[in-house]
Amino acid sequence: MYNLGQLLEKTATRFPNKIAFKCLDDSISYADLNHKANQLAHHLIKSGLSKGDRVAIYMNRCLDTAVAVYGILKAGGAFVAFDSFLPTKRTTAIMKDCGIAHLVTVPSQSRKVKKISEEAPFLKSIIGLVDKTNSKAIEWDTIFSKSLENYKAPRIIEQDLAMILYTSGSTGVPKGIMHSHYSLLSLAKLEADLHESRSSDIIGNFAPLHFDQSLFGYFSGPLVGATTVIFPDSYVKLAASLSTLVAKERITIWFSVPLILIQVLLHGDIENKDFSALRWVRFGGEVFPVKQLRALMQKWPHVKFINSYGPSEVARCTYNILEEPPKTDDPIPLGTVWGNTEYKILDTANNEVKTGEPGELVVRSATRMIGYWNNNQLTEKSFYRVEVASGYDHIYYRTGDLVHENEKNELMFLGRVDRQIKLRGFRIELDEIEATLIKHELVREAAVVVTINDGETKELEAVVRPVENAEISSKDLIFFCGELIPPYAVPKKVTIMSDFPRTGTGKIDRNKITELIESNSHI
Amino acid sequence: MKDKIIEYIKEELSIEPLEDIYVDEDLLGNGIVDSMGMMRLIDFIEKESGTPIPQEDMTVDNFMTIEHIMDYLSQKK
């Protein structure tokens, strides 16, 4: 087995009638999923899709996502999942960047998709849109009524492109992380090993498709013939309903950002619900505050907890199984690297540091991305090459994360080498927000910082120095950002200043700005 | 009350300008408001209706669509 289409086929042969994916009252068996994915693949190929072509998935969390993912992969295409909360301008810019010709959606997204369709004349077809006036629209029923008689599956090898995942780029242009069938299949296997997962498992999938945590439910689940339960957006965001549904579905493996677990701990009324089926809780994407982690672990003593870490460029690379609730409030170690992965910790001159000293974590792994789409320069910058022999390099990915190794050989997270941050699980480049603010014609300089209010709530705040005599309000600038960058990256507050605090060399002193904002002084 | 809620969503919460909202539309699922927006909406409804909304009532059954919200509020009275 060397591609993701085979993964599904193999499981569909072993467990044809088993439920592959479930979303509330809708479910689909492995045989059915395989058949429908073939119908979509057949249609895409007949519509002119060539191997390696990128296809957009524009859906909320729903059952059709599974058909879309596997259909695109089986056609030899690569899927690009879109966040429906992104501003239209950014969505169409990404589509243009990776040359999207086909978009797969569901009727509930019609309003936004119609708008995208107007602004994206390069789209050739829109599958799943119900719109009689749009000649590009093709309904799902049409696809599912097609015969597979003349269907010929393309040859797909493991190096072929499977997915592009777009993330915030520091220059203001989103970057597309390319993963192959090989890297995603490697990830599926490693995650199945980690949980010793089996066909009786029921996986809780809380992440949307454009967030790489979802790869666990979409690929590792089907690898072992488990059932993946897709939690709809409304359930993920309303904790009382979420915990009820987790208990009702008898979820055995939970993987999410800490925020969702914290919401369930605080507002999910978990004492009165039955979580006896739960075997594993894995969390990742950002730091889990120790106090809340301890409280949750004490409520669920029968569950094994794992801290999972890794940038999207390698999906995941370390794990830390917590045997018991943390005794102190010290940060939780990232753990050790998992299978098929090696690492080094480098100083700024690319020399390996002595054990215990801080440095940048670089990772060589089967789950490493191919590179960034259409950006060779950025790809090479993110790689650390060790020449073994002329023409043969070991390639490590530079995580940009500062770590050190403790006495138990566990990696401890110390911070970033750049200005990337994690806020409520979202990966954000502060430089991108500044670059966006400066695009406004009345803005001369901008600085964006993370402030911590009432001791724990992190917020993005910006200060802006406008051109002289400019009439511009904080609200205008927030609106301006909202049209260009994702909602979670838009500063909560923008303060207009005639000048910034500066360091001795005249650079903007961002630490001072943070202090000023946090102390609520008048600036 | 219904009109006030629709107005508030359109003016304050919607991610992008909206012409109209259907009362049976999944507010979170269809990407009309995000999770922070939902919390602000619940605050707004508490203030406008004078009805306190306890944590355990913040469920999909009560807040998925404008219709659900109206049903919930009429039961609370």
Side-chain angles (χ1 to χ4, degrees):
Chain A
M1 180 170 57
Y2 48 81
N3 73 48
L4 298 162
Q6 293 168 328
L7 181 157
L8 176 60
E9 264 156 36
K10 219 173 158 184
T11 303
T13 309
R14 277 174 73 202
F15 305 104
N17 301 317
K18 219 176 157 255
I19 292 180
F21 289 86
K22 188 166 187 244
C23 186
L24 299 180
D25 296 331
D26 290 334
S27 66
I28 189 166
S29 69
Y30 277 105
D32 235 15
L33 175 60
N34 192 42
H35 184 73
K36 286 185 165 166
N38 285 342
Q39 286 176 311
L40 176 59
H42 187 34
H43 172 82
L44 286 168
I45 294 166
K46 279 203 300 188
S47 311
L49 182 113
S50 306
K51 216 170 82 172
D53 281 357
R54 285 72 54 205
V55 180
I57 302 180
Y58 198 91
M59 294 183 181
N60 49 327
R61 295 167 170 90
C62 63
L63 203 63
D64 309 78
T65 49
V67 177
V69 165
Y70 281 101
I72 293 166
L73 290 171
K74 286 188 141 208
F79 69 93
V80 186
F82 284 83
D83 177 358
S84 57
F85 284 109
L86 287 186
T88 309
K89 267 186 198 167
R90 191 174 174 103
T91 302
T92 51
I94 292 174
M95 287 181 179
K96 245 190 201 157
D97 183 56
C98 65
I100 299 271
H102 306 280
L103 184 148
V104 184
T105 185
V106 283
S108 73
Q109 301 297 311
S110 294
R111 181 191 283 140
K112 292 192 174 186
V113 171
K114 280 179 189 167
K115 208 167 153 193
I116 290 166
S117 173
E118 281 165 23
E119 291 180 34
F122 48 84
L123 285 177
K124 288 190 193 133
S125 78
I126 302 173
I127 297 159
L129 176 67
V130 183
D131 183 358
K132 299 271 180 258
T133 62
N134 190 330
S135 61
K136 294 173 181 173
I138 301 157
E139 292 183 29
W140 277 111
D141 286 347
T142 315
I143 309 272
F144 295 149
S145 63
K146 293 259 166 78
S147 142
L148 284 172
E149 221 168 297
N150 302 314
Y151 171 55
K152 196 169 166 282
R155 295 187 80 87
I156 298 165
I157 68 164
E158 63 185 3
Q159 276 90 355
D160 285 335
L161 182 65
M163 169 184 89
I164 304 180
L165 191 144
Y166 274 85
T167 180
S168 162
S170 57
T171 56
V173 182
K175 52 190 183 195
I177 299 167
M178 296 187 283
H179 276 285
S180 62
H181 283 261
Y182 171 70
S183 63
L184 297 186
L185 198 53
S186 301
L187 175 67
K189 288 177 186 165
L190 285 164
E191 293 193 304
D193 289 349
L194 179 64
H195 295 294
E196 295 171 325
S197 40
R198 42 196 183 236
S199 62
S200 56
D201 272 315
I202 301 172
I203 292 170
N205 187 82
F206 308 101
L209 200 52
H210 58 86
F211 182 28
D212 66 7
Q213 281 187 351
S214 65
L215 297 171
F216 174 56
Y218 283 84
F219 298 118
S220 196
L223 178 71
V224 298
T227 295
T228 294
V229 176
I230 298 169
F231 283 75
D233 300 63
S234 47
Y235 283 81
V236 173
K237 286 154 188 170
L238 294 164
S241 295
L242 178 63
S243 61
T244 306
L245 193 56
V246 169
K248 186 180 151 218
E249 297 286 4
R250 312 275 309 147
I251 297 299
T252 63
I253 309 178
W254 175 313
F255 182 26
S256 79
V257 290
L259 183 69
I260 297 176
L261 286 159
I262 294 169
Q263 292 297 324
V264 163
L265 167 72
L266 299 176
H267 313 302
D269 188 26
I270 56 180
E271 291 82 0
N272 298 313
K273 289 168 192 170
D274 173 15
F275 296 97
S276 57
L278 201 56
R279 298 200 295 133
W280 290 100
V281 166
R282 181 153 56 116
F283 57 88
E286 65 183 329
V287 176
F288 203 139
V290 180
K291 283 196 177 74
Q292 284 160 330
L293 175 62
R294 182 186 301 120
L296 186 63
M297 287 183 75
Q298 283 165 348
K299 291 204 172 160
W300 286 344
H302 64 292
V303 178
K304 279 182 278 185
F305 282 70
I306 307 183
N307 185 10
S308 172
Y309 153 82
S312 299
E313 284 82 347
V314 294
R316 289 167 270 286
C317 57
T318 73
Y319 70 103
N320 177 12
I321 300 178
L322 305 167
E323 301 290 347
E324 51 183 22
K327 290 196 177 72
T328 68
D329 287 345
D330 296 338
I332 308 293
L334 300 176
T336 48
V337 292
W338 64 0
N340 226 341
T341 301
E342 61 170 334
Y343 71 101
K344 292 176 191 292
I345 303 172
L346 304 179
D347 65 18
T348 47
N350 288 338
N351 297 312
E352 280 190 70
V353 301
K354 288 194 196 113
T355 308
E357 282 178 9
E360 184 185 5
L361 178 67
V362 300
V363 175
R364 180 167 176 254
S365 158
T367 58
R368 198 202 74 218
M369 65 168 178
I370 301 169
Y372 297 111
W373 172 260
N374 203 14
N375 200 334
N376 210 15
Q377 206 183 348
L378 194 61
T379 301
E380 272 315 309
K381 224 177 112 187
S382 78
F383 287 164
Y384 167 66
R385 289 174 180 270
V386 178
E387 190 179 72
V388 181
S390 175
Y392 171 50
D393 294 347
H394 281 177
I395 302 174
Y396 291 74
Y397 170 69
R398 292 181 171 278
T399 64
D401 287 326
L402 285 173
V403 300
H404 78 91
E405 206 166 325
N406 69 12
E407 55 291 346
K408 289 188 207 150
N409 291 101
E410 295 166 319
L411 298 170
M412 302 294 298
F413 177 72
L414 301 171
R416 291 285 303 172
V417 300
D418 55 18
R419 298 185 67 228
Q420 184 190 101
I421 59 145
K422 283 292 180 81
L423 189 67
R424 293 180 259 279
F426 296 110
R427 174 170 151 176
I428 299 170
E429 301 279 354
L430 296 178
D431 290 339
E432 177 179 28
I433 310 171
E434 291 179 4
T436 303
L437 282 164
I438 292 167
K439 280 184 192 160
H440 194 286
E441 55 181 10
L442 296 177
V443 173
R444 187 169 282 170
E445 273 186 305
V448 176
V449 295
V450 178
T451 56
I452 299 171
N453 298 307
D454 57 55
E456 49 179 326
T457 321
K458 285 199 241 167
E459 293 294 356
L460 285 171
E461 292 197 37
V463 289
V464 157
R465 183 164 78 91
V467 297
E468 264 162 57
N469 305 321
E471 277 186 34
I472 189 158
S473 72
S474 165
K475 211 177 164 185
D476 295 337
L477 288 166
I478 290 173
F479 181 80
F480 180 76
C481 288
E483 293 221 293
L484 296 171
I485 55 178
Y488 54 79
V490 175
K492 184 118 200 251
K493 215 173 121 192
V494 179
T495 307
I496 312 279
M497 287 171 82
S498 53
D499 200 7
F500 294 160
R502 291 183 194 271
T503 63
T505 55
K507 283 188 189 160
I508 300 173
D509 188 342
R510 292 184 173 81
N511 293 334
K512 198 67 177 253
I513 290 172
T514 313
E515 275 172 38
L516 280 171
I517 295 176
E518 282 177 348
S519 65
N520 275 327
S521 19
H522 291 282
I523 49 175
Chain B
M1 189 65 197
K2 191 165 83 185
D3 295 340
K4 274 190 190 165
I5 294 175
I6 292 174
E7 199 57 29
Y8 184 72
I9 295 173
K10 276 196 197 170
E11 293 295 316
E12 300 287 332
L13 304 180
S14 71
I15 308 292
E16 284 197 291
L18 279 178
E19 274 163 31
D20 48 308
I21 303 170
Y22 309 109
V23 289
D24 59 349
E25 207 169 358
D26 180 347
L27 296 170
L28 288 159
N30 289 7
I32 294 169
V33 300
D34 59 10
S35 45
M36 300 286 268
M38 182 51 87
M39 292 305 126
R40 284 175 62 197
L41 179 65
I42 291 172
D43 275 353
F44 175 80
I45 295 168
E46 269 191 329
K47 278 193 199 111
E48 284 293 316
S49 67
T51 317
I53 299 170
Q55 287 290 350
E56 61 267 24
D57 284 1
M58 295 179 193
T59 61
V60 174
D61 293 340
N62 295 339
F63 287 92
M64 192 167 92
T65 68
I66 293 171
E67 238 167 31
H68 285 95
I69 298 173
M70 297 318 294
D71 284 349
Y72 167 71
L73 288 176
S74 63
Q75 282 162 27
K76 288 292 263 189
K77 272 174 192 164

